Amino acid sequence: MSALSIARMGAEVLRQPAAEVVDLADPGLWDLVDDMIETMFEAGGVGLAAPQVYHARRVVIFFVPAARNQGIEVPLTVMVNPVINPLDDVTEESLEACLSVPGLTGMVPRFANIRYHYQDMAGALIEREAHGFHARVVQHECDHLDGVVYPMRMDDLSTLAFSDVLLAEASARGHELELDEEG
Ligand code: NI
């Protein structure tokens, strides 16, 4: 396994739709997933999509720490060809960050309640429901498969800010600011 370099916003691979994975037995796919896992943990993210490491394929990894999901951990999940369907029209806004947009954070509206399905690496079709932060991470990562980075989802660009500036100003006011982990 080796950590890969992460594409930053503007790179061609982050602007285009990624290709469906057709051959789960491709050994290159397993190597890619191993390298993505190492890359995500080394970078301190909670999710990573294959285009972020210059592979235009529909592969996403993520996990959700228990503290961010009402005490229920979502363990490391590898999704191939994921598809999202919102369960209703409810959206919520929260600060997001992205390993491909280093240093910045901004308020992004996302569906609060979704159902999603994907193939696991054994080819089984898995279906899940997600809410809140779990739903947000899945939407953020799957956007990378369609050439979308979070600033393109923002309603109010005035909330786009450098994370360290927000943290410094909040701490100067005696507030604790919690920023979302990156994906
Ligand atoms: Ni991202």
Side-chain angles (χ1 to χ4, degrees):
M1 299 210 309
S2 50
L4 304 170
S5 74
I6 297 176
R8 287 178 301 141
M9 184 170 62
E12 191 64 35
V13 70
L14 292 175
R15 295 169 180 269
Q16 63 199 11
E20 294 268 328
V21 173
V22 287
D23 181 12
L24 283 165
D26 172 8
L29 183 67
W30 291 73
D31 289 343
L32 170 62
V33 168
D34 280 347
D35 289 347
M36 284 174 64
I37 291 169
E38 180 161 341
T39 305
M40 179 181 74
F41 283 116
E42 187 180 285
V46 296
L48 192 69
Q52 291 183 276
V53 290
Y54 296 93
H55 287 261
R57 292 199 261 184
R58 303 189 84 79
V59 177
V60 159
I61 61 170
F62 78 97
F63 70 102
V64 182
R68 305 302 310 273
N69 191 41
Q70 282 105 40
I72 304 163
E73 182 190 3
V74 181
L76 180 63
T77 298
V78 179
M79 304 199 292
V80 177
N81 301 328
V83 175
I84 297 174
N85 293 111
L87 288 171
D88 52 42
D89 293 336
V90 179
T91 59
E92 47 194 25
E93 277 208 318
S94 186
L95 286 173
E96 269 181 40
C98 179
L99 294 170
S100 296
V101 192
L104 291 169
T105 186
M107 293 292 280
V108 184
R110 297 284 186 188
F111 289 110
N113 308 297
I114 62 169
R115 181 174 289 136
Y116 64 98
H117 62 83
Y118 60 92
Q119 285 174 280
D120 69 13
M121 290 293 282
L125 189 66
I126 312 288
E127 186 174 80
R128 287 180 176 169
E129 264 186 37
H131 310 278
F133 184 68
H134 178 188
R136 176 173 298 276
V137 172
V138 171
Q139 288 168 88
H140 177 117
E141 297 311 331
C142 290
D143 265 356
H144 282 301
L145 306 180
D146 293 319
V148 174
V149 286
Y150 79 79
M152 297 160 66
R153 295 282 189 201
M154 292 176 65
D155 285 336
D156 181 0
L157 277 174
S158 76
T159 67
L160 190 63
F162 286 101
S163 303
D164 60 344
V165 172
L166 287 192
L167 289 166
E169 292 193 346
S171 127
R173 289 194 305 269
H175 296 154
E176 224 178 276
L177 179 68
E178 190 175 320
L179 291 181
D180 272 349
E181 290 87 351
E182 312 197 1

